[in-house]
Amino acid sequence: ETGVTQTPRHLVMGMTNKKSLKCEQHLGHNAMYWYKQSAKKPLELMFVYNFKEQTENNSVPSRFSPECPNSSHLFLHLHTLQPEDSALYLCASSYKFRDSPLHFGNGTRLTVT
Amino acid sequence: GDSVTQMEGPVTLSEEAFLTINCTYTATGYPSLFWYVQYPGEGLQLLLKATKADDKGSNKGFEATYRKETTSFHLEKGSVQVSDSAVYFCALSADSGNTPLVFGKGTRLSVIA
């Protein structure tokens, strides 16, 4: 149990579908993150939320839409994805100070067909 | 900008061999340094950290020393086990604490019996 729970663990969707990834943490953290992990590529930071406010968007295409309704929950809404968006999507949380480590969920393995 | 460089993998070792995974960084000021590990099918988890020069982080038999003079944070273990097979990520947290962690590309370790 990592303290950060992601659902679903696996998702297969067509390019015209709309789906959402969910992340939940009960560690009392105030920052939440979405990362994309593709084969043979570095870990890519997508979005950062700090006290529910988005503080970082690393030039992510608009077909990815994050939502953070409170400090414990984070969503990633997906629509009209491309096959190259297939990857492992990792959620993480932390306290917002310099030495606070990230706590990751086990990820959602997304396949776009 | 800040960056982390890790040795390319994969690394394959026999059980009980000595492990070194090199990590060097570029950063202004005095960053904090981390090693994360990702076991198959899981998210990343913190392995160890060091927050100032000459600090040694250690956990589960792994060690890394923060060397400011060589801007390095090499991961070592004296005797690896099959269960240590995973991907290892070096990361830094900038001095200011206002930017997210910067990760290296990861090094895959395979330990064979």
Side-chain angles (χ1 to χ4, degrees), chain A residues 9-45:
Chain A
R9 288 298 308 272
H10 300 273
L11 177 62
V12 180
M13 60 186 288
M15 289 190 284
T16 58
N17 290 160
K18 289 185 180 181
K19 296 286 185 184
S20 296
L21 310 185
K22 179 182 176 182
C23 176
E24 187 172 351
Q25 61 93 6
H26 296 289
L27 299 170
H29 292 160
N30 44 35
M32 296 189 79
Y33 311 76
W34 280 118
Y35 283 87
K36 177 182 178 183
Q37 188 175 35
S38 306
K40 301 184 180 179
K41 292 179 73 174
L43 201 60
E44 298 174 57
L45 178 65

PDB file of all heavy atoms in Angstrom, chain A residues 9-45:
ATOM      1  N   ARG A   9      -6.220   0.448 -13.022  1.00  0.00           N
ATOM      2  CA  ARG A   9      -4.824   0.033 -13.213  1.00  0.00           C
ATOM      3  C   ARG A   9      -4.492  -0.113 -14.687  1.00  0.00           C
ATOM      4  O   ARG A   9      -3.363   0.126 -15.106  1.00  0.00           O
ATOM      5  CB  ARG A   9      -4.550  -1.291 -12.496  1.00  0.00           C
ATOM      6  CG  ARG A   9      -4.504  -1.203 -10.988  1.00  0.00           C
ATOM      7  CD  ARG A   9      -3.379  -0.284 -10.478  1.00  0.00           C
ATOM      8  NE  ARG A   9      -2.076  -0.592 -11.027  1.00  0.00           N
ATOM      9  CZ  ARG A   9      -1.221  -1.471 -10.492  1.00  0.00           C
ATOM     10  NH1 ARG A   9      -1.551  -2.156  -9.425  1.00  0.00           N
ATOM     11  NH2 ARG A   9      -0.030  -1.665 -11.055  1.00  0.00           N
ATOM     12  N   HIS A  10      -5.492  -0.539 -15.450  1.00  0.00           N
ATOM     13  CA  HIS A  10      -5.304  -0.711 -16.889  1.00  0.00           C
ATOM     14  C   HIS A  10      -6.495  -0.093 -17.606  1.00  0.00           C
ATOM     15  O   HIS A  10      -7.624  -0.179 -17.125  1.00  0.00           O
ATOM     16  CB  HIS A  10      -5.204  -2.197 -17.265  1.00  0.00           C
ATOM     17  CG  HIS A  10      -4.071  -2.904 -16.607  1.00  0.00           C
ATOM     18  ND1 HIS A  10      -2.797  -2.941 -17.130  1.00  0.00           N
ATOM     19  CD2 HIS A  10      -4.011  -3.598 -15.439  1.00  0.00           C
ATOM     20  CE1 HIS A  10      -2.005  -3.633 -16.317  1.00  0.00           C
ATOM     21  NE2 HIS A  10      -2.717  -4.040 -15.288  1.00  0.00           N
ATOM     22  N   LEU A  11      -6.226   0.520 -18.770  1.00  0.00           N
ATOM     23  CA  LEU A  11      -7.295   1.137 -19.549  1.00  0.00           C
ATOM     24  C   LEU A  11      -6.943   1.029 -21.023  1.00  0.00           C
ATOM     25  O   LEU A  11      -5.839   1.396 -21.436  1.00  0.00           O
ATOM     26  CB  LEU A  11      -7.458   2.604 -19.146  1.00  0.00           C
ATOM     27  CG  LEU A  11      -8.498   3.416 -19.909  1.00  0.00           C
ATOM     28  CD1 LEU A  11      -9.891   2.839 -19.695  1.00  0.00           C
ATOM     29  CD2 LEU A  11      -8.468   4.880 -19.463  1.00  0.00           C
ATOM     30  N   VAL A  12      -7.894   0.514 -21.792  1.00  0.00           N
ATOM     31  CA  VAL A  12      -7.760   0.475 -23.242  1.00  0.00           C
ATOM     32  C   VAL A  12      -8.864   1.355 -23.809  1.00  0.00           C
ATOM     33  O   VAL A  12     -10.032   1.199 -23.452  1.00  0.00           O
ATOM     34  CB  VAL A  12      -7.892  -0.964 -23.793  1.00  0.00           C
ATOM     35  CG1 VAL A  12      -7.755  -0.961 -25.315  1.00  0.00           C
ATOM     36  CG2 VAL A  12      -6.839  -1.871 -23.169  1.00  0.00           C
ATOM     37  N   MET A  13      -8.515   2.297 -24.643  1.00  0.00           N
ATOM     38  CA  MET A  13      -9.523   3.180 -25.205  1.00  0.00           C
ATOM     39  C   MET A  13      -9.224   3.487 -26.666  1.00  0.00           C
ATOM     40  O   MET A  13      -8.061   3.491 -27.100  1.00  0.00           O
ATOM     41  CB  MET A  13      -9.640   4.473 -24.400  1.00  0.00           C
ATOM     42  CG  MET A  13      -8.385   5.299 -24.306  1.00  0.00           C
ATOM     43  SD  MET A  13      -8.572   6.731 -23.195  1.00  0.00           S
ATOM     44  CE  MET A  13      -9.639   7.808 -24.152  1.00  0.00           C
ATOM     45  N   GLY A  14     -10.300   3.735 -27.394  1.00  0.00           N
ATOM     46  CA  GLY A  14     -10.162   4.131 -28.778  1.00  0.00           C
ATOM     47  C   GLY A  14      -9.882   5.612 -28.877  1.00  0.00           C
ATOM     48  O   GLY A  14     -10.036   6.364 -27.903  1.00  0.00           O
ATOM     49  N   MET A  15      -9.478   6.049 -30.042  1.00  0.00           N
ATOM     50  CA  MET A  15      -9.077   7.443 -30.211  1.00  0.00           C
ATOM     51  C   MET A  15     -10.243   8.416 -30.071  1.00  0.00           C
ATOM     52  O   MET A  15     -10.032   9.602 -29.820  1.00  0.00           O
ATOM     53  CB  MET A  15      -8.375   7.618 -31.558  1.00  0.00           C
ATOM     54  CG  MET A  15      -6.989   6.980 -31.592  1.00  0.00           C
ATOM     55  SD  MET A  15      -6.050   7.420 -33.062  1.00  0.00           S
ATOM     56  CE  MET A  15      -6.862   6.379 -34.266  1.00  0.00           C
ATOM     57  N   THR A  16     -11.479   7.934 -30.207  1.00  0.00           N
ATOM     58  CA  THR A  16     -12.615   8.848 -30.093  1.00  0.00           C
ATOM     59  C   THR A  16     -13.276   8.800 -28.722  1.00  0.00           C
ATOM     60  O   THR A  16     -14.227   9.520 -28.456  1.00  0.00           O
ATOM     61  CB  THR A  16     -13.666   8.517 -31.162  1.00  0.00           C
ATOM     62  OG1 THR A  16     -14.069   7.151 -30.995  1.00  0.00           O
ATOM     63  CG2 THR A  16     -13.089   8.724 -32.556  1.00  0.00           C
ATOM     64  N   ASN A  17     -12.765   7.941 -27.847  1.00  0.00           N
ATOM     65  CA  ASN A  17     -13.372   7.805 -26.529  1.00  0.00           C
ATOM     66  C   ASN A  17     -13.033   8.969 -25.612  1.00  0.00           C
ATOM     67  O   ASN A  17     -12.069   9.714 -25.843  1.00  0.00           O
ATOM     68  CB  ASN A  17     -12.879   6.519 -25.840  1.00  0.00           C
ATOM     69  CG  ASN A  17     -13.407   5.261 -26.489  1.00  0.00           C
ATOM     70  OD1 ASN A  17     -12.842   4.194 -26.315  1.00  0.00           O
ATOM     71  ND2 ASN A  17     -14.490   5.369 -27.233  1.00  0.00           N
ATOM     72  N   LYS A  18     -13.823   9.076 -24.532  1.00  0.00           N
ATOM     73  CA  LYS A  18     -13.495   9.967 -23.418  1.00  0.00           C
ATOM     74  C   LYS A  18     -13.437   9.121 -22.156  1.00  0.00           C
ATOM     75  O   LYS A  18     -14.376   8.377 -21.864  1.00  0.00           O
ATOM     76  CB  LYS A  18     -14.568  11.036 -23.231  1.00  0.00           C
ATOM     77  CG  LYS A  18     -14.619  12.098 -24.296  1.00  0.00           C
ATOM     78  CD  LYS A  18     -15.640  13.156 -23.920  1.00  0.00           C
ATOM     79  CE  LYS A  18     -15.707  14.242 -24.975  1.00  0.00           C
ATOM     80  NZ  LYS A  18     -16.686  15.300 -24.610  1.00  0.00           N
ATOM     81  N   LYS A  19     -12.359   9.253 -21.432  1.00  0.00           N
ATOM     82  CA  LYS A  19     -12.201   8.512 -20.183  1.00  0.00           C
ATOM     83  C   LYS A  19     -11.501   9.405 -19.173  1.00  0.00           C
ATOM     84  O   LYS A  19     -10.934  10.437 -19.519  1.00  0.00           O
ATOM     85  CB  LYS A  19     -11.355   7.247 -20.397  1.00  0.00           C
ATOM     86  CG  LYS A  19     -11.960   6.211 -21.327  1.00  0.00           C
ATOM     87  CD  LYS A  19     -13.099   5.468 -20.653  1.00  0.00           C
ATOM     88  CE  LYS A  19     -13.605   4.359 -21.576  1.00  0.00           C
ATOM     89  NZ  LYS A  19     -14.783   3.668 -20.989  1.00  0.00           N
ATOM     90  N   SER A  20     -11.500   8.954 -17.901  1.00  0.00           N
ATOM     91  CA  SER A  20     -10.811   9.705 -16.850  1.00  0.00           C
ATOM     92  C   SER A  20      -9.986   8.777 -15.982  1.00  0.00           C
ATOM     93  O   SER A  20     -10.414   7.660 -15.672  1.00  0.00           O
ATOM     94  CB  SER A  20     -11.825  10.443 -15.970  1.00  0.00           C
ATOM     95  OG  SER A  20     -12.515  11.412 -16.723  1.00  0.00           O
ATOM     96  N   LEU A  21      -8.832   9.267 -15.595  1.00  0.00           N
ATOM     97  CA  LEU A  21      -7.995   8.574 -14.613  1.00  0.00           C
ATOM     98  C   LEU A  21      -8.197   9.258 -13.263  1.00  0.00           C
ATOM     99  O   LEU A  21      -8.327  10.484 -13.197  1.00  0.00           O
ATOM    100  CB  LEU A  21      -6.522   8.651 -15.006  1.00  0.00           C
ATOM    101  CG  LEU A  21      -6.150   8.256 -16.431  1.00  0.00           C
ATOM    102  CD1 LEU A  21      -4.629   8.275 -16.596  1.00  0.00           C
ATOM    103  CD2 LEU A  21      -6.730   6.917 -16.805  1.00  0.00           C
ATOM    104  N   LYS A  22      -8.188   8.435 -12.221  1.00  0.00           N
ATOM    105  CA  LYS A  22      -8.415   8.972 -10.883  1.00  0.00           C
ATOM    106  C   LYS A  22      -7.234   8.679  -9.975  1.00  0.00           C
ATOM    107  O   LYS A  22      -6.628   7.604 -10.050  1.00  0.00           O
ATOM    108  CB  LYS A  22      -9.690   8.369 -10.285  1.00  0.00           C
ATOM    109  CG  LYS A  22     -10.014   8.851  -8.884  1.00  0.00           C
ATOM    110  CD  LYS A  22     -11.260   8.172  -8.343  1.00  0.00           C
ATOM    111  CE  LYS A  22     -11.541   8.585  -6.906  1.00  0.00           C
ATOM    112  NZ  LYS A  22     -12.729   7.897  -6.360  1.00  0.00           N
ATOM    113  N   CYS A  23      -6.934   9.636  -9.103  1.00  0.00           N
ATOM    114  CA  CYS A  23      -5.865   9.476  -8.119  1.00  0.00           C
ATOM    115  C   CYS A  23      -6.371  10.000  -6.784  1.00  0.00           C
ATOM    116  O   CYS A  23      -7.021  11.058  -6.723  1.00  0.00           O
ATOM    117  CB  CYS A  23      -4.637  10.261  -8.549  1.00  0.00           C
ATOM    118  SG  CYS A  23      -3.283  10.227  -7.362  1.00  0.00           S
ATOM    119  N   GLU A  24      -6.062   9.278  -5.725  1.00  0.00           N
ATOM    120  CA  GLU A  24      -6.524   9.654  -4.391  1.00  0.00           C
ATOM    121  C   GLU A  24      -5.387   9.446  -3.395  1.00  0.00           C
ATOM    122  O   GLU A  24      -4.705   8.413  -3.430  1.00  0.00           O
ATOM    123  CB  GLU A  24      -7.718   8.775  -4.025  1.00  0.00           C
ATOM    124  CG  GLU A  24      -8.420   9.122  -2.763  1.00  0.00           C
ATOM    125  CD  GLU A  24      -9.708   8.315  -2.594  1.00  0.00           C
ATOM    126  OE1 GLU A  24     -10.116   7.617  -3.551  1.00  0.00           O
ATOM    127  OE2 GLU A  24     -10.283   8.379  -1.506  1.00  0.00           O
ATOM    128  N   GLN A  25      -5.184  10.428  -2.518  1.00  0.00           N
ATOM    129  CA  GLN A  25      -4.168  10.253  -1.468  1.00  0.00           C
ATOM    130  C   GLN A  25      -4.748  10.687  -0.130  1.00  0.00           C
ATOM    131  O   GLN A  25      -5.485  11.669  -0.062  1.00  0.00           O
ATOM    132  CB  GLN A  25      -2.891  11.041  -1.800  1.00  0.00           C
ATOM    133  CG  GLN A  25      -3.036  12.542  -1.927  1.00  0.00           C
ATOM    134  CD  GLN A  25      -2.776  13.317  -0.658  1.00  0.00           C
ATOM    135  OE1 GLN A  25      -2.370  12.749   0.366  1.00  0.00           O
ATOM    136  NE2 GLN A  25      -2.989  14.626  -0.690  1.00  0.00           N
ATOM    137  N   HIS A  26      -4.387   9.941   0.896  1.00  0.00           N
ATOM    138  CA  HIS A  26      -4.826  10.248   2.255  1.00  0.00           C
ATOM    139  C   HIS A  26      -3.614  10.356   3.158  1.00  0.00           C
ATOM    140  O   HIS A  26      -3.604   9.858   4.284  1.00  0.00           O
ATOM    141  CB  HIS A  26      -5.800   9.175   2.739  1.00  0.00           C
ATOM    142  CG  HIS A  26      -7.064   9.147   1.931  1.00  0.00           C
ATOM    143  ND1 HIS A  26      -8.015  10.150   2.010  1.00  0.00           N
ATOM    144  CD2 HIS A  26      -7.523   8.271   1.015  1.00  0.00           C
ATOM    145  CE1 HIS A  26      -9.001   9.881   1.179  1.00  0.00           C
ATOM    146  NE2 HIS A  26      -8.734   8.750   0.558  1.00  0.00           N
ATOM    147  N   LEU A  27      -2.591  11.018   2.640  1.00  0.00           N
ATOM    148  CA  LEU A  27      -1.349  11.220   3.386  1.00  0.00           C
ATOM    149  C   LEU A  27      -1.259  12.627   3.965  1.00  0.00           C
ATOM    150  O   LEU A  27      -0.259  12.976   4.576  1.00  0.00           O
ATOM    151  CB  LEU A  27      -0.150  10.954   2.456  1.00  0.00           C
ATOM    152  CG  LEU A  27      -0.085   9.527   1.883  1.00  0.00           C
ATOM    153  CD1 LEU A  27       0.976   9.439   0.796  1.00  0.00           C
ATOM    154  CD2 LEU A  27       0.185   8.522   2.990  1.00  0.00           C
ATOM    155  N   GLY A  28      -2.278  13.439   3.690  1.00  0.00           N
ATOM    156  CA  GLY A  28      -2.259  14.812   4.177  1.00  0.00           C
ATOM    157  C   GLY A  28      -1.375  15.730   3.356  1.00  0.00           C
ATOM    158  O   GLY A  28      -1.056  16.845   3.791  1.00  0.00           O
ATOM    159  N   HIS A  29      -0.988  15.278   2.162  1.00  0.00           N
ATOM    160  CA  HIS A  29      -0.132  16.096   1.314  1.00  0.00           C
ATOM    161  C   HIS A  29      -0.923  17.235   0.682  1.00  0.00           C
ATOM    162  O   HIS A  29      -2.147  17.159   0.521  1.00  0.00           O
ATOM    163  CB  HIS A  29       0.502  15.235   0.221  1.00  0.00           C
ATOM    164  CG  HIS A  29       1.491  14.255   0.755  1.00  0.00           C
ATOM    165  ND1 HIS A  29       1.879  13.124   0.039  1.00  0.00           N
ATOM    166  CD2 HIS A  29       2.194  14.220   1.919  1.00  0.00           C
ATOM    167  CE1 HIS A  29       2.763  12.445   0.754  1.00  0.00           C
ATOM    168  NE2 HIS A  29       2.971  13.081   1.900  1.00  0.00           N
ATOM    169  N   ASN A  30      -0.197  18.296   0.284  1.00  0.00           N
ATOM    170  CA  ASN A  30      -0.879  19.441  -0.310  1.00  0.00           C
ATOM    171  C   ASN A  30      -0.464  19.704  -1.752  1.00  0.00           C
ATOM    172  O   ASN A  30      -0.884  20.669  -2.362  1.00  0.00           O
ATOM    173  CB  ASN A  30      -0.657  20.703   0.535  1.00  0.00           C
ATOM    174  CG  ASN A  30       0.779  20.843   0.991  1.00  0.00           C
ATOM    175  OD1 ASN A  30       1.694  20.477   0.268  1.00  0.00           O
ATOM    176  ND2 ASN A  30       0.977  21.350   2.189  1.00  0.00           N
ATOM    177  N   ALA A  31       0.382  18.836  -2.313  1.00  0.00           N
ATOM    178  CA  ALA A  31       0.759  18.963  -3.719  1.00  0.00           C
ATOM    179  C   ALA A  31       0.523  17.630  -4.413  1.00  0.00           C
ATOM    180  O   ALA A  31       0.786  16.566  -3.838  1.00  0.00           O
ATOM    181  CB  ALA A  31       2.221  19.371  -3.857  1.00  0.00           C
ATOM    182  N   MET A  32       0.012  17.684  -5.644  1.00  0.00           N
ATOM    183  CA  MET A  32      -0.243  16.468  -6.412  1.00  0.00           C
ATOM    184  C   MET A  32       0.261  16.651  -7.836  1.00  0.00           C
ATOM    185  O   MET A  32       0.290  17.777  -8.356  1.00  0.00           O
ATOM    186  CB  MET A  32      -1.729  16.109  -6.402  1.00  0.00           C
ATOM    187  CG  MET A  32      -2.238  15.766  -5.005  1.00  0.00           C
ATOM    188  SD  MET A  32      -3.908  15.103  -4.982  1.00  0.00           S
ATOM    189  CE  MET A  32      -3.595  13.397  -5.480  1.00  0.00           C
ATOM    190  N   TYR A  33       0.655  15.553  -8.449  1.00  0.00           N
ATOM    191  CA  TYR A  33       1.363  15.590  -9.725  1.00  0.00           C
ATOM    192  C   TYR A  33       0.859  14.494 -10.663  1.00  0.00           C
ATOM    193  O   TYR A  33       0.504  13.399 -10.208  1.00  0.00           O
ATOM    194  CB  TYR A  33       2.864  15.313  -9.503  1.00  0.00           C
ATOM    195  CG  TYR A  33       3.531  16.109  -8.406  1.00  0.00           C
ATOM    196  CD1 TYR A  33       3.330  15.798  -7.067  1.00  0.00           C
ATOM    197  CD2 TYR A  33       4.391  17.166  -8.714  1.00  0.00           C
ATOM    198  CE1 TYR A  33       3.957  16.519  -6.052  1.00  0.00           C
ATOM    199  CE2 TYR A  33       5.032  17.886  -7.714  1.00  0.00           C
ATOM    200  CZ  TYR A  33       4.810  17.565  -6.391  1.00  0.00           C
ATOM    201  OH  TYR A  33       5.437  18.274  -5.395  1.00  0.00           O
ATOM    202  N   TRP A  34       0.890  14.775 -11.953  1.00  0.00           N
ATOM    203  CA  TRP A  34       0.734  13.746 -12.983  1.00  0.00           C
ATOM    204  C   TRP A  34       2.048  13.643 -13.752  1.00  0.00           C
ATOM    205  O   TRP A  34       2.597  14.647 -14.210  1.00  0.00           O
ATOM    206  CB  TRP A  34      -0.378  14.084 -13.977  1.00  0.00           C
ATOM    207  CG  TRP A  34      -1.762  13.781 -13.515  1.00  0.00           C
ATOM    208  CD1 TRP A  34      -2.778  14.659 -13.317  1.00  0.00           C
ATOM    209  CD2 TRP A  34      -2.317  12.485 -13.225  1.00  0.00           C
ATOM    210  NE1 TRP A  34      -3.913  14.012 -12.902  1.00  0.00           N
ATOM    211  CE2 TRP A  34      -3.658  12.666 -12.846  1.00  0.00           C
ATOM    212  CE3 TRP A  34      -1.809  11.180 -13.245  1.00  0.00           C
ATOM    213  CZ2 TRP A  34      -4.496  11.620 -12.480  1.00  0.00           C
ATOM    214  CZ3 TRP A  34      -2.641  10.136 -12.890  1.00  0.00           C
ATOM    215  CH2 TRP A  34      -3.966  10.354 -12.518  1.00  0.00           C
ATOM    216  N   TYR A  35       2.516  12.386 -13.916  1.00  0.00           N
ATOM    217  CA  TYR A  35       3.678  12.088 -14.728  1.00  0.00           C
ATOM    218  C   TYR A  35       3.291  11.099 -15.816  1.00  0.00           C
ATOM    219  O   TYR A  35       2.433  10.237 -15.617  1.00  0.00           O
ATOM    220  CB  TYR A  35       4.786  11.425 -13.892  1.00  0.00           C
ATOM    221  CG  TYR A  35       5.570  12.355 -13.003  1.00  0.00           C
ATOM    222  CD1 TYR A  35       5.114  12.655 -11.721  1.00  0.00           C
ATOM    223  CD2 TYR A  35       6.772  12.904 -13.426  1.00  0.00           C
ATOM    224  CE1 TYR A  35       5.855  13.501 -10.895  1.00  0.00           C
ATOM    225  CE2 TYR A  35       7.512  13.743 -12.603  1.00  0.00           C
ATOM    226  CZ  TYR A  35       7.042  14.034 -11.338  1.00  0.00           C
ATOM    227  OH  TYR A  35       7.776  14.857 -10.518  1.00  0.00           O
ATOM    228  N   LYS A  36       4.005  11.167 -16.943  1.00  0.00           N
ATOM    229  CA  LYS A  36       3.857  10.194 -18.016  1.00  0.00           C
ATOM    230  C   LYS A  36       5.166   9.420 -18.135  1.00  0.00           C
ATOM    231  O   LYS A  36       6.245  10.022 -18.202  1.00  0.00           O
ATOM    232  CB  LYS A  36       3.556  10.902 -19.341  1.00  0.00           C
ATOM    233  CG  LYS A  36       3.457   9.968 -20.539  1.00  0.00           C
ATOM    234  CD  LYS A  36       3.217  10.748 -21.818  1.00  0.00           C
ATOM    235  CE  LYS A  36       3.156   9.824 -23.035  1.00  0.00           C
ATOM    236  NZ  LYS A  36       2.989  10.591 -24.303  1.00  0.00           N
ATOM    237  N   GLN A  37       5.050   8.085 -18.155  1.00  0.00           N
ATOM    238  CA  GLN A  37       6.236   7.244 -18.304  1.00  0.00           C
ATOM    239  C   GLN A  37       6.067   6.367 -19.545  1.00  0.00           C
ATOM    240  O   GLN A  37       5.234   5.473 -19.564  1.00  0.00           O
ATOM    241  CB  GLN A  37       6.456   6.381 -17.055  1.00  0.00           C
ATOM    242  CG  GLN A  37       7.774   5.627 -17.079  1.00  0.00           C
ATOM    243  CD  GLN A  37       8.041   4.868 -15.792  1.00  0.00           C
ATOM    244  OE1 GLN A  37       7.128   4.355 -15.159  1.00  0.00           O
ATOM    245  NE2 GLN A  37       9.302   4.815 -15.380  1.00  0.00           N
ATOM    246  N   SER A  38       6.860   6.666 -20.572  1.00  0.00           N
ATOM    247  CA  SER A  38       6.838   5.895 -21.811  1.00  0.00           C
ATOM    248  C   SER A  38       8.089   5.044 -21.894  1.00  0.00           C
ATOM    249  O   SER A  38       9.131   5.398 -21.330  1.00  0.00           O
ATOM    250  CB  SER A  38       6.796   6.834 -23.021  1.00  0.00           C
ATOM    251  OG  SER A  38       5.731   7.745 -22.920  1.00  0.00           O
ATOM    252  N   ALA A  39       7.988   3.975 -22.637  1.00  0.00           N
ATOM    253  CA  ALA A  39       9.139   3.089 -22.820  1.00  0.00           C
ATOM    254  C   ALA A  39      10.287   3.864 -23.460  1.00  0.00           C
ATOM    255  O   ALA A  39      10.089   4.624 -24.402  1.00  0.00           O
ATOM    256  CB  ALA A  39       8.751   1.905 -23.694  1.00  0.00           C
ATOM    257  N   LYS A  40      11.471   3.704 -22.886  1.00  0.00           N
ATOM    258  CA  LYS A  40      12.705   4.265 -23.444  1.00  0.00           C
ATOM    259  C   LYS A  40      12.721   5.787 -23.487  1.00  0.00           C
ATOM    260  O   LYS A  40      13.459   6.386 -24.257  1.00  0.00           O
ATOM    261  CB  LYS A  40      12.984   3.688 -24.841  1.00  0.00           C
ATOM    262  CG  LYS A  40      13.131   2.172 -24.831  1.00  0.00           C
ATOM    263  CD  LYS A  40      13.489   1.616 -26.183  1.00  0.00           C
ATOM    264  CE  LYS A  40      13.619   0.092 -26.090  1.00  0.00           C
ATOM    265  NZ  LYS A  40      13.953  -0.524 -27.383  1.00  0.00           N
ATOM    266  N   LYS A  41      11.874   6.439 -22.686  1.00  0.00           N
ATOM    267  CA  LYS A  41      11.892   7.900 -22.577  1.00  0.00           C
ATOM    268  C   LYS A  41      11.966   8.287 -21.105  1.00  0.00           C
ATOM    269  O   LYS A  41      11.507   7.536 -20.237  1.00  0.00           O
ATOM    270  CB  LYS A  41      10.647   8.506 -23.214  1.00  0.00           C
ATOM    271  CG  LYS A  41      10.585   8.361 -24.723  1.00  0.00           C
ATOM    272  CD  LYS A  41       9.312   8.968 -25.283  1.00  0.00           C
ATOM    273  CE  LYS A  41       9.328  10.464 -25.248  1.00  0.00           C
ATOM    274  NZ  LYS A  41       8.131  11.041 -25.932  1.00  0.00           N
ATOM    275  N   PRO A  42      12.523   9.452 -20.813  1.00  0.00           N
ATOM    276  CA  PRO A  42      12.563   9.880 -19.410  1.00  0.00           C
ATOM    277  C   PRO A  42      11.173  10.122 -18.858  1.00  0.00           C
ATOM    278  O   PRO A  42      10.220  10.366 -19.605  1.00  0.00           O
ATOM    279  CB  PRO A  42      13.351  11.200 -19.468  1.00  0.00           C
ATOM    280  CG  PRO A  42      14.014  11.219 -20.795  1.00  0.00           C
ATOM    281  CD  PRO A  42      13.167  10.421 -21.719  1.00  0.00           C
ATOM    282  N   LEU A  43      11.082  10.086 -17.550  1.00  0.00           N
ATOM    283  CA  LEU A  43       9.836  10.414 -16.864  1.00  0.00           C
ATOM    284  C   LEU A  43       9.461  11.867 -17.200  1.00  0.00           C
ATOM    285  O   LEU A  43      10.289  12.772 -17.076  1.00  0.00           O
ATOM    286  CB  LEU A  43      10.081  10.267 -15.370  1.00  0.00           C
ATOM    287  CG  LEU A  43       8.920  10.066 -14.426  1.00  0.00           C
ATOM    288  CD1 LEU A  43       8.152   8.802 -14.769  1.00  0.00           C
ATOM    289  CD2 LEU A  43       9.438   9.995 -13.002  1.00  0.00           C
ATOM    290  N   GLU A  44       8.217  12.089 -17.634  1.00  0.00           N
ATOM    291  CA  GLU A  44       7.791  13.429 -18.045  1.00  0.00           C
ATOM    292  C   GLU A  44       6.789  13.981 -17.051  1.00  0.00           C
ATOM    293  O   GLU A  44       5.714  13.401 -16.858  1.00  0.00           O
ATOM    294  CB  GLU A  44       7.101  13.377 -19.411  1.00  0.00           C
ATOM    295  CG  GLU A  44       7.960  12.885 -20.558  1.00  0.00           C
ATOM    296  CD  GLU A  44       7.121  12.744 -21.824  1.00  0.00           C
ATOM    297  OE1 GLU A  44       6.511  13.749 -22.237  1.00  0.00           O
ATOM    298  OE2 GLU A  44       7.059  11.635 -22.385  1.00  0.00           O
ATOM    299  N   LEU A  45       7.104  15.106 -16.447  1.00  0.00           N
ATOM    300  CA  LEU A  45       6.147  15.795 -15.597  1.00  0.00           C
ATOM    301  C   LEU A  45       5.100  16.457 -16.480  1.00  0.00           C
ATOM    302  O   LEU A  45       5.437  17.180 -17.426  1.00  0.00           O
ATOM    303  CB  LEU A  45       6.859  16.846 -14.747  1.00  0.00           C
ATOM    304  CG  LEU A  45       5.993  17.692 -13.839  1.00  0.00           C
ATOM    305  CD1 LEU A  45       5.336  16.836 -12.755  1.00  0.00           C
ATOM    306  CD2 LEU A  45       6.820  18.804 -13.203  1.00  0.00           C
TER     307      LEU A  45
END
